[in-house]
Amino acid sequence: VQLVESGGGLVQTGGSLTLSCTASGSIYRINGVGWYRQTPGNERELVAIRNSDGGTNYGEPVQGRFTISRVNAENTVYLQMISLKPEDTAVYYCNARGYESNFQVYDSWGQGTQVTVSS
């Protein structure tokens, strides 16, 4: 299963961006999707996840500002980001987990998209 992200870019403090991630391949089921981010020298951290039952969980730094959503028919997950801060600057990665058409488990990552928030 392949994931392709888009929507990153440069934005001023207080601005907004929406990231998208589309999955393709032999997908039988997507159980969970998520967004993570990473800055140089640091570990990848959770931004937001959404389970197949619609439950969501957010990293503390983004609670109340970011929203994860999913369009099942399009195999696409979105991350809406508002009130962006310079500390949100990072490479954002999409993740999806589930089963392929041959019922093999997959745990796929996108290539990452850069988000830069200027002060």
Side-chain angles (χ1 to χ4, degrees):
V1 174
Q2 298 78 42
L3 304 179
V4 177
E5 301 133 336
S6 62
L10 174 65
V11 65
Q12 292 185 335
T13 296
S16 61
L17 280 175
T18 297
L19 307 181
S20 63
C21 172
T22 299
S24 63
S26 300
I27 301 169
Y28 172 73
R29 178 182 174 87
I30 301 176
N31 285 341
V33 292
W35 288 94
Y36 296 76
R37 65 187 184 186
Q38 188 170 23
T39 54
N42 294 307
E43 294 185 355
R44 195 168 294 185
E45 67 171 0
L46 168 72
V47 176
I49 56 174
R50 181 182 175 92
N51 299 320
S52 57
D53 63 2
T56 58
N57 190 32
Y58 295 89
E60 189 277 334
V62 309
Q63 286 182 358
R65 299 187 298 120
F66 290 12
T67 303
I68 187 170
S69 61
R70 174 179 163 183
V71 178
N72 292 338
E74 299 174 356
N75 287 335
T76 299
V77 59
Y78 299 92
L79 183 68
Q80 182 181 12
M81 307 182 291
I82 65 171
S83 302
L84 283 161
K85 306 174 182 179
E87 50 265 44
D88 294 319
T89 296
V91 177
Y92 284 70
Y93 296 91
C94 176
N95 172 257
R97 307 171 305 280
Y99 294 93
E100 296 180 334
S101 299
N102 60 4
F103 303 109
Q104 293 294 310
V105 173
Y106 67 86
D107 184 351
S108 299
W109 292 87
Q111 79 285 359
T113 185
Q114 176 71 46
V115 172
T116 302
V117 184
S118 63
S119 57

